[in-house]
Amino acid sequence: MWLLERDPTGEFRLTKHPPNDEIPEIPPYAILSHTWGDEEVLFGDLAGGTAKNKAGYAKIQFCGEQAERDGLRYFWVDTCCIDKSDAGELQHALNSMFQWYRNAAKCYVYLAEVSTRKRDADGSSKWDLNLRGCRWFTRGWTLQELIAPAIVEFFSKEGGRLGDKKSLEKEIHNITGIPRRALQGSPLSDFSVTERMKWIEKRNTKYEEDKVYSLFGIFDVHMPLAKLWPADPRDPRDEKKRIELAKGGLLADAYRWVFDNPDFKRWRQLAESRLLWIKGDPGKGKTMLLCGIINELERPITINGGNLAYFFCQAADSRINNATSVLRGLIYLLVQRQPRLLSHLPENTYPSDDAMAWIVLSKTLIEMLEDPNLKVTYLVIDALDECMIDQQKLLSLIVQISSISASVKCIVSSRNWLQIEEQ
């Protein structure tokens, strides 16, 4: 864990904790909660000595000075205390974030929209009326930053103290809908998964995946990111874009005919029709057809709150030519679209390339698809014939999935091979 240390001259430097085996303890520290803006100070800025040139340095300075007033030598800020160029460090940070906030001696909430300098005609401050409009209350990450620490203090952009989680409890509850018991520190296990999911509903993150990561601590989930997804993963969405570009773009007339096809219409409309197999010889356009189907289905499914997950197998790429990678990709997109499915992810790490990975991931996917709160879900897998490792396992799982629920429908494509047809 990297911490910022303030020296007697007022300068800040990054320090690693614990530094060695002889000093295993992490010292008491303050932690900053804020909304990201322009010119944030990053890890490289501090390491390279350019931090003071950025507007975000004012927040770093505020946090360090407030920590000093509270008798704390060290403090932590998410923008600059994580080396995101180190995949292992980033994984550890995502999994540890909730505990880092929970273990902090104090958490300072910096509200950039609130000013204590604005006054009414009678001289009274209006800052309390501005809390509801603060972006901090709609940011995904700040949910855990509000709940995890025991002491949370709120400050204006000038550094003026507005109150703490206890004195502002009523206002925080009214704005967020979070029960007072949760704000007071009751165990999160006392609240149902459904109730905890409501706390995040109106919160946003810049990236879809961040909404998922910000829920790890709320659901006591430790996701082995480097195990579930390799160091150089293939996001199915990126792979789809790559395929379309490589083929010269997607032509609507080349795929829209399928929506009038009787077999496709039967699969889409009838509850008992859950598995559609699109088969054909190489070069017939199966992959681009599936790209078109995904594009056409995505908007109505998203509007109705449903899920769409897909994966494109490719025999020549070892990262996407095996059954385990297919499961990784499907689970990744399902969790992106319905974050509450996080509760089914395993807490323990496991080898990424052996039989145990398949067992754990297939079990996880089935549990997700059996979730009673699962929205209507479409799974699309292209080029089953190019799944070179554990193809039979994948085929058996697809058959099993297609009988789980009427809410789950699958489309698969492949060459017209007898062994696939038999399965």
Side-chain angles (χ1 to χ4, degrees), residues 183-407:
L183 297 174
Q184 294 164 1
S186 293
L188 290 173
S189 57
D190 289 353
F191 305 92
S192 68
V193 170
T194 301
E195 188 170 9
R196 278 177 276 171
M197 280 305 303
K198 288 181 180 178
W199 304 346
I200 196 73
E201 281 181 354
K202 297 180 181 179
R203 290 177 176 261
N204 305 300
T205 55
K206 183 176 180 180
Y207 302 106
E208 272 188 284
E209 53 266 33
D210 281 347
K211 193 166 188 177
V212 176
Y213 301 153
S214 68
L215 292 174
F216 283 5
I218 301 297
F219 290 99
D220 194 22
V221 167
H222 180 280
M223 185 189 290
L225 298 177
K227 300 297 185 182
L228 192 53
W229 296 286
D232 184 19
R234 285 292 185 94
D235 186 323
R237 294 168 296 189
D238 293 338
E239 187 64 16
K240 177 176 174 292
K241 292 177 184 176
R242 185 198 64 77
I243 290 170
E244 292 177 0
L245 289 173
K247 299 287 187 179
L250 189 60
L251 299 176
D253 291 342
Y255 68 81
R256 284 204 173 134
W257 60 268
V258 77
F259 289 87
D260 294 321
N261 179 275
D263 290 333
F264 184 87
K265 292 169 71 174
R266 188 179 306 111
W267 168 82
R268 193 174 182 186
Q269 296 169 4
L270 300 181
E272 63 271 20
S273 181
R274 302 176 191 171
L275 176 59
L276 181 67
W277 178 31
I278 296 176
K279 56 183 183 287
D281 294 333
K284 296 297 184 181
K286 299 184 296 298
T287 296
M288 295 300 278
L289 177 61
L290 262 62
C291 286
I293 290 173
I294 290 169
N295 287 352
E296 293 290 328
L297 292 179
E298 193 155 24
R299 179 172 174 78
I301 289 172
T302 302
I303 289 175
N304 294 323
N307 306 310
L308 174 62
Y310 49 85
F311 194 87
F312 294 85
C313 298
Q314 187 172 328
D317 191 330
S318 61
R319 293 169 295 181
I320 53 176
N321 71 353
N322 59 87
T324 301
S325 292
V326 175
L327 297 193
R328 286 193 185 104
L330 295 178
I331 290 171
Y332 179 82
L333 291 184
L334 284 175
V335 170
Q336 296 292 333
R337 294 176 182 272
Q338 197 172 340
R340 73 171 310 281
L341 296 175
L342 271 171
S343 60
H344 297 291
L345 288 169
E347 295 184 12
N348 300 316
T349 59
Y350 47 85
S352 59
D353 297 316
D354 65 5
M356 184 56 68
W358 168 264
I359 293 171
V360 173
L361 289 169
S362 58
K363 178 176 179 289
T364 298
L365 180 59
I366 289 172
E367 287 181 358
M368 287 181 171
L369 298 178
E370 290 177 336
D371 189 301
N373 295 305
L374 183 78
K375 311 291 191 203
V376 173
T377 296
Y378 290 77
L379 302 179
V380 181
I381 305 173
D382 178 56
L384 286 173
D385 53 286
E386 297 197 43
C387 178
M388 311 305 292
I389 300 174
D390 291 333
Q391 184 186 98
Q392 288 300 312
K393 286 183 179 179
L394 180 59
L395 290 172
S396 297
L397 183 63
I398 290 170
V399 172
Q400 182 180 354
I401 287 172
S402 66
S403 64
I404 284 178
S405 166
S407 297

Side-chain angles (χ1 to χ4, degrees), residues 27-30 63-75 105-106 108:
Y29 61 91
C63 190
E65 291 173 353
Q66 186 59 45
E68 184 183 36
R69 284 191 285 270
D70 289 331
L72 297 168
R73 180 178 172 184
Y74 298 93
F75 62 102
K106 283 195 173 184
Y108 306 138

